[in-house]
Every structure is written in C-alpha cells, then in structure tokens.
C-alpha cells in the first residue's frame, strides 16, 4: 500500500485522503425512492457561484478527489452521487437522461431554492447527464464544462476491459484487474493507475447499481446541445480511449461550435479519459480560467 504526503508532511493512505475530504464537507440529501440523493458540499468564497461536479459512470464524487482542494479556494462545490451510484439510492424508473436531470434539479431546488444559479462541470457519463441538466436549468446555469463527455453515438468508442473482480476475488488479483482496466480506459500514462486510483475505482465499482453504458453509447449529449443556454466548454485528453483519436475529438469540437461558435475547447496533450485525475493541476487551471470569464 502506497502512502501519500499531505502539505504538512503527514503520510496519508487513500482511505485517509477520502475521509479527510468528507470530514471537511457538509453532507446534504433529499429523498430518492426508499433512500436519498446525496451531495457533498465544500464552501468556497461567500459570493462565489456554486460549481456542480458530476462524476462519471460507475463512479461517485471521488472522481473529483484530485480537484476539490484547489477548486474550493475559488468556488463553492456541490458534488453529487448520481442516482444508482456512490452513496445515493437506486435510480427510479424511467432510467432516462431527462429523468436523471429532473431529479438533480428538483434536489437542487429543494436544498437551495428555485432561484439558485450555478455552473456545471461533468465528467464522461456525468457530462452526459449534465448536458440535460444544463438544458433543463436554462439561464440558471451559466457555464457548462464537459470533460470526456459520453453520448456522441457512433463517435463513442466502447473499450474492452477485463471482467471486474467479484466479492471473493483475492485482493492482489483485484488490484491487478483494476490497474489494467484503469490503464486501458482511464489513463494515457500507466503510472497514473496508482494505489489511490485503484482504491477509488474499486470502491466505486462495488457500490454501483446502475449500468450507464447504454446511455453512454447513445446520442444524448448531441441531442441536448442545441437546448443549452450556458456558455459551453469542452475538455478532452488527446489520448482519451473513448474518443476515437484526435479526429473523433475534432468532430466533437465541430459539433460544439455549430451551436456556440466562440465556445472554448481544450485538448490536453498526452492525457487520457480521466483527465482531471491524470493532469489535475492543468485541468484545475483550465476550469477556473473558464469560470472567471
């Protein structure tokens, strides 16, 4: 097990890193089926417009673990566990993108009021859900930042992975499988599939009760784009395994610009799908610069 050094020199395990951020967060929830829709919230500057963080498929708020400490210095952060994933209750039928978006907006309205305005940053499946949330929120959403977004129909590449470990899989074998799948799907550089990434990935998989692949392979992002009033920004790693190479990313950029010709679109060279983990410092810089405009 690797250890990680905090700024004050204290050595932390992956579990301790997650626990520390949770200790610093305020947990909010609204009813969802027989359970709850859970949010982790970190306060930023008092007058900052909140930034919603939407994680990827089979994930949770911890997809943003490498970014929260930096982003919260400038923004209040609201990180949700999307229904059926993380600590939130299962997704009630119908499991459509429109329903995901309406559940999230209803929860935001309950927690913060009907007039609250916000920005959205979404990763992969979270960007797909976020596109529909931004469209539903209309002018209440000022910026919509999509990182490695799913939902581009035939442009989406389905990556072949090893079968995930089961409950009885020995820990060493489970780590090997997670490391292989992270290096194949999430990262351009194999050493980014470190002990922290493996812990987050394994924990998220163990809690996932919704399979997002069908929606990820559809055209839901492209369908939502023309209805988004927020200022668009795209961020893709040049080595994103789901993108189909730089030509596939260029086609996505062209689609963005067909609706907002002056929108920002960033290609992060040498970076894979989980860009905000693999290149957290550069990713944070891009996001904050976009939000300041």
């Amino acid at each position: 097990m690797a250890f990680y050094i905090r700024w004050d020199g204290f050595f932390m395990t992956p579990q301790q890193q997650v626990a520390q951020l949770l200790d610093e967060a305020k947990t909010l929830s609204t009813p969802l089926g027989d359970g709850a829709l859970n949010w982790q919230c970190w306060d930023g500057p008092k007058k900052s417009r909140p930034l919603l963080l939407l994680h990827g498929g089979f994930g949770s708020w911890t997809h943003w673990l490498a970014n929260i400490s930096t982003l919260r210095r400038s923004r209040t952060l609201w990180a949700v566990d999307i229904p059926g994933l993380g600590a939130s209750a299962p997704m009630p039928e119908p499991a459509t993108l429109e329903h995901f978006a309406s559940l999230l907006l209803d929860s935001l309205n309950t927690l913060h009021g009907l007039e609250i305005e916000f920005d959205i940053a979404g990763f992969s499946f979270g960007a797909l859900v976020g596109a529909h949330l931004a469209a539903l929120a209309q002018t209440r959403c000022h910026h919509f930042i999509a990182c490695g977004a799913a939902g581009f129909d035939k442009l989406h590449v389905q990556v072949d992975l090893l079968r995930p470990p089961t409950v009885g899989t020995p820990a060493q074998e489970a780590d090997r499988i997670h490391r292989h799948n992270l290096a194949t799907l999430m990262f351009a550089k194999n050493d980014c599939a470190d002990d922290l990434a493996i812990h987050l990935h394994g924990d998220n998989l163990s809690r996932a009760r919704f399979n997002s692949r069908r929606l990820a392979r559809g055209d839901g992002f492209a369908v939502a784009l023309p209805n988004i009033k927020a200022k668009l920004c795209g961020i893709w790693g040049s080595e994103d395994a789901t993108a189909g190479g730089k030509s596939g990313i260029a086609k996505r950029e062209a689609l963005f610009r067909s609706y907002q010709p002056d929108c920002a679109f960033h290609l992060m060279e040498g970076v894979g799908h989980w860009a905000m983990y693999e290149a957290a410092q550069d990713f944070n810089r891009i996001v904050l610069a976009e939000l300041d405009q």
Side-chain angles (χ1 to χ4, degrees):
M1 173 66 69
F3 288 81
Y4 299 83
I5 303 176
R6 201 169 65 188
W7 67 270
D8 58 4
F10 181 74
F11 287 89
M12 302 181 72
T13 65
Q15 293 88 341
Q16 288 171 329
Q17 291 189 80
V18 174
Q20 178 177 298
L21 277 179
L22 281 175
D23 286 344
E24 296 169 354
K26 178 169 56 178
T27 300
L28 302 176
S29 65
T30 55
L32 178 67
D34 293 330
L37 180 63
N38 287 327
W39 299 80
Q40 304 299 334
C41 307
W42 292 267
D43 289 334
K46 287 186 178 180
K47 294 185 178 180
S48 67
R49 189 167 54 243
L51 174 63
L52 276 63
L53 301 176
L54 301 179
H55 61 79
F58 300 93
S60 76
W61 70 268
T62 62
H63 272 166
W64 298 95
L65 185 133
N67 315 100
I68 288 167
S69 293
T70 296
L71 295 179
R72 65 185 288 200
R73 296 174 195 158
S74 300
R75 295 279 169 159
T76 289
L77 303 179
W78 297 340
V80 68
D81 281 356
I82 294 173
L85 300 168
S88 286
M91 176 64 184
E93 293 294 336
T96 63
L97 292 167
E98 294 80 5
H99 196 196
F100 274 107
S102 67
L103 289 172
L104 293 180
L105 188 58
D106 287 347
S107 182
L108 285 168
N109 290 341
T110 299
L111 292 171
H112 304 289
L114 297 173
E115 304 301 322
I116 190 70
E117 298 180 354
F118 49 83
D119 300 312
I120 298 173
F123 166 55
S124 194
F125 175 64
L128 173 55
V129 173
H132 286 262
L133 176 57
L136 185 62
Q138 291 289 285
T139 56
R140 292 173 61 189
C141 180
H142 289 243
H143 291 81
F144 172 49
I145 300 172
C147 176
F152 288 90
D153 198 19
K154 294 180 181 179
L155 290 178
H156 183 78
V157 176
Q158 188 66 44
V159 180
D160 291 330
L161 301 172
L162 297 178
R163 184 181 296 276
T166 60
V167 174
T169 304
Q172 187 173 4
E173 175 64 9
D175 282 0
R176 184 192 69 81
I177 293 171
H178 291 322
R179 194 181 304 274
H180 174 275
N181 288 345
L182 284 167
T184 301
L185 173 63
M186 292 292 210
F187 300 129
K189 295 177 281 294
N190 288 347
D191 59 357
C192 289
D194 56 18
D195 286 355
L196 176 58
I198 289 170
H199 169 71
L200 300 179
H201 182 64
D203 181 62
N204 286 333
L205 279 180
S206 71
R207 296 185 292 162
R209 286 139 294 133
F210 179 77
N211 188 334
S212 58
R213 290 194 181 100
R214 176 184 61 82
L215 294 176
R217 290 194 296 260
D219 63 352
F221 195 99
V223 167
L225 263 179
N227 300 316
I228 295 174
K229 304 300 182 185
K231 183 175 178 60
L232 290 173
C233 172
I235 304 175
W236 259 263
S238 66
E239 308 307 311
D240 187 332
T242 72
K246 289 185 177 180
S247 62
I249 297 172
K251 290 175 182 177
R252 290 167 171 84
E253 180 179 3
L255 188 59
F256 273 54
R257 296 194 187 282
S258 70
Y259 296 106
Q260 291 191 21
D262 62 344
C263 75
F265 200 97
H266 301 269
L267 185 67
M268 300 183 70
E269 290 289 347
V271 176
H273 185 52
W274 194 1
M276 67 269 205
Y277 186 96
E278 184 166 10
Q281 186 174 356
D282 289 339
F283 182 90
N284 294 338
R285 175 182 51 78
I286 291 170
V287 167
L288 292 175
E290 290 300 329
L291 294 178
D292 284 343
Q293 293 187 31

